[in-house]
Amino acid sequence: MIQLYHVYKAYGGDQYALHDVTLTADKGDFLFITGPSGAGKTTLLKLIFCAEPATRGQLLVDGVNLQRLKRSGIPYLRRKIGVVFQDFKLLGERTVFANVGLTLEVTGRPRAYIEKKVRQVLRLVGLDAKENHLCCRLSGGEQQRVAIARAVAANPIIVLADEPTGNLDDEITLEILELFREINRRGTTVVLATHNRELIRKVPGAKVGMLRQGRLVAAGVAKQVMAQRSALEMSSQGVL
Amino acid sequence: MIQLYHVYKAYGGDQYALHDVTLTADKGDFLFITGPSGAGKTTLLKLIFCAEPATRGQLLVDGVNLQRLKRSGIPYLRRKIGVVFQDFKLLGERTVFANVGLTLEVTGRPRAYIEKKVRQVLRLVGLDAKENHLCCRLSGGEQQRVAIARAVAANPIIVLADEPTGNLDDEITLEILELFREINRRGTTVVLATHNRELIRKVPGAKVGMLRQGRLVAAGVAKQVMAQRSALEMSSQGVL
Amino acid sequence: MRLGLLVYFLRKALGNIRTNPFLSMVTLSTIAISMLILGLFSLIYLNVQQSLHQMGGELQITAYLQETVSSEQAKVLRSKVADWPEVEGITYISKEQALARFRSQLREYAGILEGLKENPLPASLELTLMAQYGRSGNIKELSTRLGRLPGVAEVQYGRKWMAKLRVFVEVMKLVGITVGGLLLIATIFVISNTIKLTFYSRREELEIMRLVGATDFFIKAPFLIEGLLHGLGGALLAAGGLSLLTLFLFSHLDLPLRLAMMAGSLPTGQLVAGFLGLGLLLGVLGSMVSLRRFLRP
Amino acid sequence: MRLGLLVYFLRKALGNIRTNPFLSMVTLSTIAISMLILGLFSLIYLNVQQSLHQMGGELQITAYLQETVSSEQAKVLRSKVADWPEVEGITYISKEQALARFRSQLREYAGILEGLKENPLPASLELTLMAQYGRSGNIKELSTRLGRLPGVAEVQYGRKWMAKLRVFVEVMKLVGITVGGLLLIATIFVISNTIKLTFYSRREELEIMRLVGATDFFIKAPFLIEGLLHGLGGALLAAGGLSLLTLFLFSHLDLPLRLAMMAGSLPTGQLVAGFLGLGLLLGVLGSMVSLRRFLRP
Ligand SMILES: Nc1ncnc2c1ncn2[C@@H]1O[C@H](COP(=O)(O)OP(=O)(O)OP(=O)(O)O)[C@@H](O)[C@H]1O
Ligand SMILES: Nc1ncnc2c1ncn2[C@@H]1O[C@H](COP(=O)(O)OP(=O)(O)OP(=O)(O)O)[C@@H](O)[C@H]1O
Ligand SMILES: [Mg+2]
Ligand SMILES: [Mg+2]
C-alpha cells in the first residue's frame, strides 16, 4: 500500500530530514513510526500524502508513483488518505461538524449521508455533544479528537496519524488506539507517528519503524523492536 | 503566590468550565493540574494570567487581586508569569531567537543581555543549533521546546506550563521536567497541567490538583493523590 | 455543473460570508466606495461634456455674402452648404435681421447707428458645426471652402473667447479621460488588493482545504461566488449611493445649475445595469486572480 | 521617549516589513495609488479653476460715462471705484480707444463706421471683479451702485455667453469640491480598510505580543512607525508618479493646451511636502485606528 525506496528529503539546506529510508506498509498493516523529536516522523508522513516532494528516491502509495503524480492528481490521492496532523489544522472559526464533514464534502457526498456519518464518528471520539461548537473554543484534547474524527470520517484506505494522543489522557488515549485498531482490522492501513512507547506496547503485532536524525535505525514487529531498543538503551547507558 | 477561592468560570453558556475551585500554590510550590480532556486545566491557567476573567470567585496572584486589576496593569502581571501554551502560540514567521527573545524585549532588556540569555535557555532545551530557523519550519517537538524556552527566559516568578511535553519523547520529557524542577528549586512557582501520570510520579513531593468537569475532585501531595486515585479507579471499575 | 453543486457552492459562499463578516464587510465596502467614486465621476463627466458640447455647439462660422447676392440666391447657397457633413445647422441672416441683431446685442454701440442713412451690414449664412468637426484644423479648411463659393464675400469664425472655450473643452476632455482612466485602474487595483488581503488572511483555510483532498475547482468555486456576491452587493450599494447623492446635490443647486444638470444625464436603469455588471466582473475576476496566488503549490 | 527605544521600535518596524513583504507591498501601493489619484485630481482642479478664473475674470462691468465728463473727472471716478473691495481691476477707455477697439474687434461691422462724421461711442470705465464677488446677486448690486455715481450714464454687464460661462464655472466648482471631497473620504476609507486587513491577518501576532506581557504602547509603537514608513513611502511614490504623469501629459499636449496648463500650477516642492505630510498622517492615523480595533480586550 505504501512503499518507500531509498527516500531522501532535504528542506532547502544540505541537512537531510530523511536519509535513505526504505519502508513498506502493506494493505491492512498497522505501522508505528517512532523516534525522538526532530527525527523526521512528520516529514515521512508529509511525503506520503504529497504535502512535500521527496528530494530523492521512489514513493508508491496505493500503486501510484508519487514522483510522477501530476498536480491535478494530488487531491484524488489525498481522498484515499485520512491525516491527523500534529498541529490539528482545524478551521478554528468553523464548527466541529463543519470540520469533520469537510473531507466528506470535498468528495461530493450527499448532505444526509454527511450528517449521519459525522455524528457517528463524533460519537466514536466522544464529542457528539460538541457538534455545534466552534473549534477554536475547544480544549486541546477536544481539538485533537476533532482532528482524529475528520481523518477517519471518509473511510480512507490509509490513515496517517501524527502524535494523535499527545493532548489526551490515558483513558481516551486507549479508546483512540482502539478506534485505530478497529478501522485497521477492517482493512485500513494505519501509520501512527508517536513518542508514546505505551501505545506501541499495546499493539504488539504492529510494525515499527524507528527514525533517528532522518535515518531508519530499526524496523520490524513491535515486540521485537521494543525489546531490541531496551537492550540498546541499556547498553548505550552502560557505555556512557 | 497563587490563590483561588471558590472560582467559577463559564464561557457564555450556563455550563461551567470551572466550578467552585479553591486552590493555593505558595511561593516555590510545584503544582500539577491534572484531569481528563476538557476538565478545565487550560481554563484554570488562563484565569491565572488574565487571559480570561473569572465569572465568580476571588483570584490572587503575587498579592494582586485579579478581579480588581485594571487593563493597564495586566501586562505587568504577565511579565511575572512565564506561560507554555498548549498550542505553543509562537510567531511562525519569526526565528526561534526572536520568539524566545520576545519576553525579554517587552521588558526592555538590553540587546546584549537578550542574546546571552536566549542562547542559554535554547541550550537548556537542546535547540541552540536552530536559533535562526523560522518557527513554522520546526518539528512539533522543537516548537514545543521553543515555547518552553520562551516561558522561562525572563526568569518569571511563576511558570505555567500547559501540557508541555505532549509532543516530546520520553528522554526529552525527563530533561524538560528536570528543567522545571531546577527553576522550581530556585524559588519559582511552577504550575504544570498534564495528562501524563509518569510526570507526576516523577515529582512525588509536588502538589496535585485534579479536575473533572470543572470541579476539583482531589488535591494534595502527589504521592497521596496518585495512590488515592488508583484506589478510586479500581473501585469505580469494580462498580461498573 | 450540476445544479445541486451550484446550490452547494452558493451555500458555502454564504457560510463563508457569515463566518467572516469583517472580511466581507471590508470587501463589500471597498467595492462600493470605489465604484461610487467611479460612477460619480462618470456621471459628472457626462454632464460636463454635455454642457460643454452645448456651449461648444455655438461655435459658429459666419459667411458674409456679397451685396449683389439676392435672397433667393442666398437660399440656394444655404441648402447647398446644409448638405455638407460637417454642418449641423445653418441660418440665413438678411441685412435687416443683421441690423436688428446689432441693435439688440450691441446696445452699447447703439449710438453708432444714429448717424446712418442706409444699412451697412451684409447678409450672412451662420453655420453651426457638428461637435466632432470642432477642431481648429477642420474649421480652417471648412472656412476656406466656404470662401471659395460664389457669392461669399468673407468668412469669419472663432472669436477670442470661443477659441478659449474650445481649448478649455479640449483640456476638460483630456482631464476627464485621464482621471477617469486612472480612476478605473485605481479601482481595479484597490479592489484586487483588498481581495488579495482577505485571501491572505484566509490562506490557512485554503491550505487546509487542499490538504483534505479538495480539488482547486472545489476550493475556488465558493470563493468566486463569494466574490460575485460582494461585487454585486458593492455595485448595488454604489448605485444606491450615487442616486441618493445626485438627488441630494440636485435639490441643493441653484436653478440655473439645476437646469444645466438637467441637460445632462441622471443615473438610469441602463447605467445601474452596467454598474452591476462591472461590479460582478470586478468581484469575480478579482477573486480569481487573487486565488491563483494562494493556490500555487 | 528614550532614543534607544525609538531606534528599537524603528528596527522592529523594519523587521516587520521584512517579515511581511506582501502586506507591506499592498499597504504601500494602496496608499500610493490612492494619493496619486487624489493628487492628480487636486492638480487638475487647481489648473481648471485657474483657467476658469482667467476666463471668468473677464466678466466685466462697463460703466458708460456721460458725454460731459472730462478725462480728468473720469480719472477721479476711476480711482474712487478702484478702492471698492469687489473691484479687482479698472480701466478707463476714452472715446477714441472705444472706437479703435470697435474697429479691430468687430470687424464684421466695420462697414457701419464708413458713414460716420463724428465718434458716437461713449467713454467708459471697465471693471473686472474679484472672483469671490462674481455671483450674479453681487454684480447686480454693484452695478446699481455704479449707476448712481455722478457722471455715469449707463451700466452694462453679463453678455449671454458670459452668464453661461459663469454657470459653468459654478458647476465646475461644485463638481470639483464634491468629487474632491468624496475622493479624499474614499482615499482615507480605502487606506484604513487596507491597514485594517493587514492587522487582521496579523491578529495572532498582536495577541501573542499581549500574552507575553507587552504593553499596548510597546505593541503599537513599531506598528505606528511601520504605518509612518508606509505612508511616507506611498506619498513619495505618488509624488513621483504624479510628476512623471504631468510631464508626460504636458509633452503630449497641443501648444494651446500646454499654454493653458502653464497658467495653472505644476507640482512644486510645497505640494510634494504637503503630500508627504498627508501620506504620513494617513499611514499613522490609519494604523492607530485599526490597531485599536485589534487590541481591544
Ligand atoms: N518546512 C521545513 N523547513 C525546514 N526544515 C524543516 C521543515 N520541517 C521540518 N524541518 C526539520 O526537519 C527535521 C525533521 O522534522 P520532523 O517534523 O519530520 O520531525 P518529527 O520527527 O516529526 O519531530 P517531532 O516529534 O518533534 O514532531 C527537524 O529538524 C525540523 O527542524
Ligand atoms: N473559549 C472557549 N469558549 C467556550 N468554551 C470553551 C472555551 N475554552 C474552553 N471551553 C470549554 O471549556 C471546557 C474546559 O476546557 P479546557 O481547555 O480548560 O480543558 P482542558 O482541561 O485544558 O482540556 P485538554 O486536556 O483537552 O486541553 C471544555 O469543555 C471546552 O470545550
Ligand atoms: Mg512531528
Ligand atoms: Mg487544555
PDB file of all heavy atoms in Angstrom, chain B residues 71 75-76 78-79 89-91 93-94 105-106 111, chain D residues 8 12 16 19 205 208 210-211 213-216 218 295:
ATOM      1  N   ARG B  71      -7.033  47.045  33.266  1.00  0.00           N
ATOM      2  CA  ARG B  71      -6.490  46.589  31.992  1.00  0.00           C
ATOM      3  C   ARG B  71      -5.023  46.966  31.820  1.00  0.00           C
ATOM      4  O   ARG B  71      -4.208  46.187  31.336  1.00  0.00           O
ATOM      5  CB  ARG B  71      -7.318  47.213  30.869  1.00  0.00           C
ATOM      6  CG  ARG B  71      -7.138  46.552  29.526  1.00  0.00           C
ATOM      7  CD  ARG B  71      -8.062  47.187  28.511  1.00  0.00           C
ATOM      8  NE  ARG B  71      -7.302  47.684  27.375  1.00  0.00           N
ATOM      9  CZ  ARG B  71      -6.693  46.898  26.501  1.00  0.00           C
ATOM     10  NH1 ARG B  71      -6.759  45.602  26.621  1.00  0.00           N
ATOM     11  NH2 ARG B  71      -6.010  47.411  25.503  1.00  0.00           N
ATOM     12  N   PRO B  75      -0.347  43.737  31.613  1.00  0.00           N
ATOM     13  CA  PRO B  75       0.980  43.393  31.083  1.00  0.00           C
ATOM     14  C   PRO B  75       2.020  43.207  32.185  1.00  0.00           C
ATOM     15  O   PRO B  75       2.860  42.309  32.098  1.00  0.00           O
ATOM     16  CB  PRO B  75       1.329  44.591  30.202  1.00  0.00           C
ATOM     17  CG  PRO B  75       0.028  45.162  29.800  1.00  0.00           C
ATOM     18  CD  PRO B  75      -0.892  44.928  30.957  1.00  0.00           C
ATOM     19  N   TYR B  76       1.949  44.035  33.224  1.00  0.00           N
ATOM     20  CA  TYR B  76       2.968  43.949  34.263  1.00  0.00           C
ATOM     21  C   TYR B  76       2.817  42.674  35.070  1.00  0.00           C
ATOM     22  O   TYR B  76       3.800  42.076  35.507  1.00  0.00           O
ATOM     23  CB  TYR B  76       2.924  45.208  35.132  1.00  0.00           C
ATOM     24  CG  TYR B  76       3.169  46.423  34.274  1.00  0.00           C
ATOM     25  CD1 TYR B  76       2.119  47.202  33.795  1.00  0.00           C
ATOM     26  CD2 TYR B  76       4.463  46.732  33.864  1.00  0.00           C
ATOM     27  CE1 TYR B  76       2.339  48.270  32.955  1.00  0.00           C
ATOM     28  CE2 TYR B  76       4.702  47.799  33.019  1.00  0.00           C
ATOM     29  CZ  TYR B  76       3.642  48.563  32.564  1.00  0.00           C
ATOM     30  OH  TYR B  76       3.883  49.606  31.720  1.00  0.00           O
ATOM     31  N   ARG B  78       1.644  39.906  33.746  1.00  0.00           N
ATOM     32  CA  ARG B  78       2.060  38.817  32.845  1.00  0.00           C
ATOM     33  C   ARG B  78       3.576  38.673  32.767  1.00  0.00           C
ATOM     34  O   ARG B  78       4.081  37.599  32.457  1.00  0.00           O
ATOM     35  CB  ARG B  78       1.492  39.060  31.446  1.00  0.00           C
ATOM     36  CG  ARG B  78       0.005  38.747  31.388  1.00  0.00           C
ATOM     37  CD  ARG B  78      -0.533  38.837  30.001  1.00  0.00           C
ATOM     38  NE  ARG B  78      -1.964  38.536  30.004  1.00  0.00           N
ATOM     39  CZ  ARG B  78      -2.815  38.957  29.082  1.00  0.00           C
ATOM     40  NH1 ARG B  78      -2.387  39.688  28.067  1.00  0.00           N
ATOM     41  NH2 ARG B  78      -4.093  38.650  29.152  1.00  0.00           N
ATOM     42  N   ARG B  79       4.273  39.773  32.993  1.00  0.00           N
ATOM     43  CA  ARG B  79       5.737  39.680  32.925  1.00  0.00           C
ATOM     44  C   ARG B  79       6.311  38.848  34.054  1.00  0.00           C
ATOM     45  O   ARG B  79       7.443  38.389  33.975  1.00  0.00           O
ATOM     46  CB  ARG B  79       6.332  41.080  32.981  1.00  0.00           C
ATOM     47  CG  ARG B  79       6.057  41.848  31.718  1.00  0.00           C
ATOM     48  CD  ARG B  79       6.582  43.228  31.806  1.00  0.00           C
ATOM     49  NE  ARG B  79       6.044  44.025  30.725  1.00  0.00           N
ATOM     50  CZ  ARG B  79       6.388  45.268  30.501  1.00  0.00           C
ATOM     51  NH1 ARG B  79       7.278  45.849  31.284  1.00  0.00           N
ATOM     52  NH2 ARG B  79       5.861  45.934  29.501  1.00  0.00           N
ATOM     53  N   LYS B  89       1.573  28.934  20.603  1.00  0.00           N
ATOM     54  CA  LYS B  89       1.429  30.361  20.320  1.00  0.00           C
ATOM     55  C   LYS B  89       2.780  31.007  19.995  1.00  0.00           C
ATOM     56  O   LYS B  89       3.188  31.983  20.614  1.00  0.00           O
ATOM     57  CB  LYS B  89       0.774  31.089  21.498  1.00  0.00           C
ATOM     58  CG  LYS B  89      -0.684  30.698  21.687  1.00  0.00           C
ATOM     59  CD  LYS B  89      -1.480  31.785  22.347  1.00  0.00           C
ATOM     60  CE  LYS B  89      -2.858  31.310  22.731  1.00  0.00           C
ATOM     61  NZ  LYS B  89      -3.684  30.876  21.598  1.00  0.00           N
ATOM     62  N   LEU B  90       3.437  30.431  19.007  1.00  0.00           N
ATOM     63  CA  LEU B  90       4.694  31.023  18.536  1.00  0.00           C
ATOM     64  C   LEU B  90       4.408  31.894  17.322  1.00  0.00           C
ATOM     65  O   LEU B  90       3.402  31.714  16.635  1.00  0.00           O
ATOM     66  CB  LEU B  90       5.679  29.915  18.149  1.00  0.00           C
ATOM     67  CG  LEU B  90       6.077  28.958  19.275  1.00  0.00           C
ATOM     68  CD1 LEU B  90       6.954  27.836  18.726  1.00  0.00           C
ATOM     69  CD2 LEU B  90       6.808  29.695  20.390  1.00  0.00           C
ATOM     70  N   LEU B  91       5.303  32.839  17.071  1.00  0.00           N
ATOM     71  CA  LEU B  91       5.220  33.625  15.839  1.00  0.00           C
ATOM     72  C   LEU B  91       5.901  32.801  14.752  1.00  0.00           C
ATOM     73  O   LEU B  91       7.124  32.753  14.669  1.00  0.00           O
ATOM     74  CB  LEU B  91       5.904  34.975  16.019  1.00  0.00           C
ATOM     75  CG  LEU B  91       5.312  35.850  17.133  1.00  0.00           C
ATOM     76  CD1 LEU B  91       6.195  37.065  17.384  1.00  0.00           C
ATOM     77  CD2 LEU B  91       3.916  36.280  16.756  1.00  0.00           C
ATOM     78  N   GLU B  93       6.411  33.047  11.618  1.00  0.00           N
ATOM     79  CA  GLU B  93       7.261  33.658  10.593  1.00  0.00           C
ATOM     80  C   GLU B  93       8.504  34.312  11.186  1.00  0.00           C
ATOM     81  O   GLU B  93       9.254  34.975  10.465  1.00  0.00           O
ATOM     82  CB  GLU B  93       6.464  34.693   9.794  1.00  0.00           C
ATOM     83  CG  GLU B  93       5.276  34.131   9.041  1.00  0.00           C
ATOM     84  CD  GLU B  93       5.694  33.122   7.979  1.00  0.00           C
ATOM     85  OE1 GLU B  93       6.738  33.345   7.342  1.00  0.00           O
ATOM     86  OE2 GLU B  93       4.991  32.108   7.809  1.00  0.00           O
ATOM     87  N   ARG B  94       8.682  34.169  12.492  1.00  0.00           N
ATOM     88  CA  ARG B  94       9.887  34.712  13.126  1.00  0.00           C
ATOM     89  C   ARG B  94      10.830  33.581  13.492  1.00  0.00           C
ATOM     90  O   ARG B  94      10.426  32.431  13.618  1.00  0.00           O
ATOM     91  CB  ARG B  94       9.514  35.480  14.405  1.00  0.00           C
ATOM     92  CG  ARG B  94       8.498  36.562  14.211  1.00  0.00           C
ATOM     93  CD  ARG B  94       9.024  37.620  13.283  1.00  0.00           C
ATOM     94  NE  ARG B  94       7.928  38.492  12.861  1.00  0.00           N
ATOM     95  CZ  ARG B  94       7.676  39.664  13.433  1.00  0.00           C
ATOM     96  NH1 ARG B  94       8.440  40.111  14.392  1.00  0.00           N
ATOM     97  NH2 ARG B  94       6.669  40.395  13.010  1.00  0.00           N
ATOM     98  N   GLU B 105      12.403  41.246  25.413  1.00  0.00           N
ATOM     99  CA  GLU B 105      12.284  42.540  24.733  1.00  0.00           C
ATOM    100  C   GLU B 105      11.186  43.403  25.343  1.00  0.00           C
ATOM    101  O   GLU B 105      11.360  44.594  25.533  1.00  0.00           O
ATOM    102  CB  GLU B 105      11.979  42.324  23.247  1.00  0.00           C
ATOM    103  CG  GLU B 105      13.221  41.996  22.444  1.00  0.00           C
ATOM    104  CD  GLU B 105      12.888  41.866  20.972  1.00  0.00           C
ATOM    105  OE1 GLU B 105      11.728  42.099  20.597  1.00  0.00           O
ATOM    106  OE2 GLU B 105      13.798  41.529  20.196  1.00  0.00           O
ATOM    107  N   VAL B 106      10.052  42.781  25.619  1.00  0.00           N
ATOM    108  CA  VAL B 106       8.926  43.584  26.104  1.00  0.00           C
ATOM    109  C   VAL B 106       9.228  44.224  27.454  1.00  0.00           C
ATOM    110  O   VAL B 106       8.601  45.210  27.822  1.00  0.00           O
ATOM    111  CB  VAL B 106       7.616  42.772  26.209  1.00  0.00           C
ATOM    112  CG1 VAL B 106       7.211  42.246  24.852  1.00  0.00           C
ATOM    113  CG2 VAL B 106       7.722  41.669  27.214  1.00  0.00           C
ATOM    114  N   ARG B 111      20.079  44.587  24.453  1.00  0.00           N
ATOM    115  CA  ARG B 111      20.272  43.584  23.421  1.00  0.00           C
ATOM    116  C   ARG B 111      21.308  42.511  23.799  1.00  0.00           C
ATOM    117  O   ARG B 111      21.098  41.320  23.550  1.00  0.00           O
ATOM    118  CB  ARG B 111      20.698  44.288  22.133  1.00  0.00           C
ATOM    119  CG  ARG B 111      20.528  43.419  20.929  1.00  0.00           C
ATOM    120  CD  ARG B 111      20.323  44.189  19.654  1.00  0.00           C
ATOM    121  NE  ARG B 111      20.232  43.216  18.581  1.00  0.00           N
ATOM    122  CZ  ARG B 111      19.145  42.502  18.338  1.00  0.00           C
ATOM    123  NH1 ARG B 111      18.060  42.658  19.059  1.00  0.00           N
ATOM    124  NH2 ARG B 111      19.147  41.602  17.364  1.00  0.00           N
TER     125      ARG B 111
ATOM    126  N   TYR D   8      14.967  51.111  18.709  1.00  0.00           N
ATOM    127  CA  TYR D   8      14.477  49.743  18.835  1.00  0.00           C
ATOM    128  C   TYR D   8      13.176  49.553  18.056  1.00  0.00           C
ATOM    129  O   TYR D   8      13.022  48.610  17.285  1.00  0.00           O
ATOM    130  CB  TYR D   8      14.261  49.409  20.313  1.00  0.00           C
ATOM    131  CG  TYR D   8      13.515  48.124  20.522  1.00  0.00           C
ATOM    132  CD1 TYR D   8      14.166  46.900  20.377  1.00  0.00           C
ATOM    133  CD2 TYR D   8      12.154  48.128  20.815  1.00  0.00           C
ATOM    134  CE1 TYR D   8      13.485  45.721  20.531  1.00  0.00           C
ATOM    135  CE2 TYR D   8      11.465  46.948  20.974  1.00  0.00           C
ATOM    136  CZ  TYR D   8      12.133  45.747  20.826  1.00  0.00           C
ATOM    137  OH  TYR D   8      11.444  44.582  20.964  1.00  0.00           O
ATOM    138  N   LYS D  12      12.359  47.281  14.865  1.00  0.00           N
ATOM    139  CA  LYS D  12      11.225  46.353  14.881  1.00  0.00           C
ATOM    140  C   LYS D  12      10.347  46.550  13.647  1.00  0.00           C
ATOM    141  O   LYS D  12       9.934  45.588  12.995  1.00  0.00           O
ATOM    142  CB  LYS D  12      10.341  46.628  16.107  1.00  0.00           C
ATOM    143  CG  LYS D  12      10.661  45.901  17.397  1.00  0.00           C
ATOM    144  CD  LYS D  12      10.559  44.436  17.373  1.00  0.00           C
ATOM    145  CE  LYS D  12       9.282  43.942  18.029  1.00  0.00           C
ATOM    146  NZ  LYS D  12       9.413  42.504  18.353  1.00  0.00           N
ATOM    147  N   ASN D  16       9.405  44.006  10.801  1.00  0.00           N
ATOM    148  CA  ASN D  16       8.039  43.647  10.413  1.00  0.00           C
ATOM    149  C   ASN D  16       7.865  43.711   8.914  1.00  0.00           C
ATOM    150  O   ASN D  16       7.249  42.842   8.302  1.00  0.00           O
ATOM    151  CB  ASN D  16       7.027  44.624  11.045  1.00  0.00           C
ATOM    152  CG  ASN D  16       6.737  44.271  12.493  1.00  0.00           C
ATOM    153  OD1 ASN D  16       7.122  43.214  12.973  1.00  0.00           O
ATOM    154  ND2 ASN D  16       6.068  45.175  13.179  1.00  0.00           N
ATOM    155  N   THR D  19       9.543  40.858   7.333  1.00  0.00           N
ATOM    156  CA  THR D  19       8.853  39.584   7.580  1.00  0.00           C
ATOM    157  C   THR D  19       7.593  39.441   6.730  1.00  0.00           C
ATOM    158  O   THR D  19       7.230  38.355   6.316  1.00  0.00           O
ATOM    159  CB  THR D  19       8.431  39.470   9.058  1.00  0.00           C
ATOM    160  OG1 THR D  19       9.488  39.955   9.871  1.00  0.00           O
ATOM    161  CG2 THR D  19       8.116  38.046   9.429  1.00  0.00           C
ATOM    162  N   GLU D 205      -0.429  37.580  15.879  1.00  0.00           N
ATOM    163  CA  GLU D 205       0.818  38.178  16.350  1.00  0.00           C
ATOM    164  C   GLU D 205       0.541  39.198  17.446  1.00  0.00           C
ATOM    165  O   GLU D 205       1.205  39.217  18.489  1.00  0.00           O
ATOM    166  CB  GLU D 205       1.515  38.840  15.155  1.00  0.00           C
ATOM    167  CG  GLU D 205       2.856  39.434  15.491  1.00  0.00           C
ATOM    168  CD  GLU D 205       3.494  40.053  14.260  1.00  0.00           C
ATOM    169  OE1 GLU D 205       3.067  39.712  13.141  1.00  0.00           O
ATOM    170  OE2 GLU D 205       4.399  40.894  14.421  1.00  0.00           O
ATOM    171  N   ILE D 208      -0.382  37.416  20.598  1.00  0.00           N
ATOM    172  CA  ILE D 208       0.764  36.783  21.261  1.00  0.00           C
ATOM    173  C   ILE D 208       1.604  37.826  21.988  1.00  0.00           C
ATOM    174  O   ILE D 208       2.037  37.617  23.124  1.00  0.00           O
ATOM    175  CB  ILE D 208       1.606  35.989  20.233  1.00  0.00           C
ATOM    176  CG1 ILE D 208       0.821  34.765  19.764  1.00  0.00           C
ATOM    177  CG2 ILE D 208       2.928  35.569  20.839  1.00  0.00           C
ATOM    178  CD1 ILE D 208       1.471  33.993  18.651  1.00  0.00           C
ATOM    179  N   ARG D 210       0.585  40.477  23.335  1.00  0.00           N
ATOM    180  CA  ARG D 210      -0.102  40.833  24.582  1.00  0.00           C
ATOM    181  C   ARG D 210       0.058  39.740  25.624  1.00  0.00           C
ATOM    182  O   ARG D 210       0.212  40.020  26.806  1.00  0.00           O
ATOM    183  CB  ARG D 210      -1.595  41.039  24.309  1.00  0.00           C
ATOM    184  CG  ARG D 210      -1.879  42.201  23.416  1.00  0.00           C
ATOM    185  CD  ARG D 210      -3.359  42.378  23.240  1.00  0.00           C
ATOM    186  NE  ARG D 210      -3.971  42.826  24.481  1.00  0.00           N
ATOM    187  CZ  ARG D 210      -5.269  42.789  24.713  1.00  0.00           C
ATOM    188  NH1 ARG D 210      -6.081  42.307  23.801  1.00  0.00           N
ATOM    189  NH2 ARG D 210      -5.748  43.228  25.840  1.00  0.00           N
ATOM    190  N   LEU D 211       0.020  38.491  25.160  1.00  0.00           N
ATOM    191  CA  LEU D 211       0.072  37.385  26.118  1.00  0.00           C
ATOM    192  C   LEU D 211       1.421  37.280  26.802  1.00  0.00           C
ATOM    193  O   LEU D 211       1.508  36.788  27.915  1.00  0.00           O
ATOM    194  CB  LEU D 211      -0.267  36.063  25.411  1.00  0.00           C
ATOM    195  CG  LEU D 211      -1.740  35.878  25.071  1.00  0.00           C
ATOM    196  CD1 LEU D 211      -1.954  34.575  24.328  1.00  0.00           C
ATOM    197  CD2 LEU D 211      -2.589  35.906  26.340  1.00  0.00           C
ATOM    198  N   GLY D 213       3.123  39.766  27.762  1.00  0.00           N
ATOM    199  CA  GLY D 213       3.307  40.873  28.694  1.00  0.00           C
ATOM    200  C   GLY D 213       3.718  42.201  28.075  1.00  0.00           C
ATOM    201  O   GLY D 213       4.213  43.077  28.775  1.00  0.00           O
ATOM    202  N   ALA D 214       3.528  42.358  26.760  1.00  0.00           N
ATOM    203  CA  ALA D 214       3.845  43.639  26.151  1.00  0.00           C
ATOM    204  C   ALA D 214       2.722  44.642  26.461  1.00  0.00           C
ATOM    205  O   ALA D 214       1.549  44.294  26.422  1.00  0.00           O
ATOM    206  CB  ALA D 214       3.993  43.491  24.648  1.00  0.00           C
ATOM    207  N   THR D 215       3.095  45.873  26.793  1.00  0.00           N
ATOM    208  CA  THR D 215       2.079  46.911  26.991  1.00  0.00           C
ATOM    209  C   THR D 215       1.520  47.307  25.636  1.00  0.00           C
ATOM    210  O   THR D 215       2.148  47.078  24.599  1.00  0.00           O
ATOM    211  CB  THR D 215       2.686  48.154  27.643  1.00  0.00           C
ATOM    212  OG1 THR D 215       3.767  48.600  26.819  1.00  0.00           O
ATOM    213  CG2 THR D 215       3.214  47.853  29.027  1.00  0.00           C
ATOM    214  N   ASP D 216       0.342  47.914  25.656  1.00  0.00           N
ATOM    215  CA  ASP D 216      -0.261  48.348  24.402  1.00  0.00           C
ATOM    216  C   ASP D 216       0.671  49.297  23.651  1.00  0.00           C
ATOM    217  O   ASP D 216       0.831  49.207  22.435  1.00  0.00           O
ATOM    218  CB  ASP D 216      -1.598  49.050  24.666  1.00  0.00           C
ATOM    219  CG  ASP D 216      -2.696  48.028  24.925  1.00  0.00           C
ATOM    220  OD1 ASP D 216      -2.394  46.824  24.890  1.00  0.00           O
ATOM    221  OD2 ASP D 216      -3.843  48.435  25.159  1.00  0.00           O
ATOM    222  N   PHE D 218       3.894  49.418  23.750  1.00  0.00           N
ATOM    223  CA  PHE D 218       5.020  48.677  23.197  1.00  0.00           C
ATOM    224  C   PHE D 218       4.632  47.926  21.931  1.00  0.00           C
ATOM    225  O   PHE D 218       5.407  47.810  20.988  1.00  0.00           O
ATOM    226  CB  PHE D 218       5.524  47.686  24.251  1.00  0.00           C
ATOM    227  CG  PHE D 218       6.800  47.011  23.890  1.00  0.00           C
ATOM    228  CD1 PHE D 218       8.016  47.574  24.235  1.00  0.00           C
ATOM    229  CD2 PHE D 218       6.804  45.806  23.199  1.00  0.00           C
ATOM    230  CE1 PHE D 218       9.198  46.963  23.900  1.00  0.00           C
ATOM    231  CE2 PHE D 218       7.984  45.182  22.856  1.00  0.00           C
ATOM    232  CZ  PHE D 218       9.180  45.767  23.213  1.00  0.00           C
ATOM    233  N   LEU D 295      -6.679  45.545  19.385  1.00  0.00           N
ATOM    234  CA  LEU D 295      -6.104  45.464  20.725  1.00  0.00           C
ATOM    235  C   LEU D 295      -7.179  45.529  21.788  1.00  0.00           C
ATOM    236  O   LEU D 295      -6.892  45.583  22.969  1.00  0.00           O
ATOM    237  CB  LEU D 295      -5.090  46.597  20.933  1.00  0.00           C
ATOM    238  CG  LEU D 295      -3.743  46.367  20.269  1.00  0.00           C
ATOM    239  CD1 LEU D 295      -2.800  47.507  20.562  1.00  0.00           C
ATOM    240  CD2 LEU D 295      -3.127  45.064  20.734  1.00  0.00           C
TER     241      LEU D 295
END
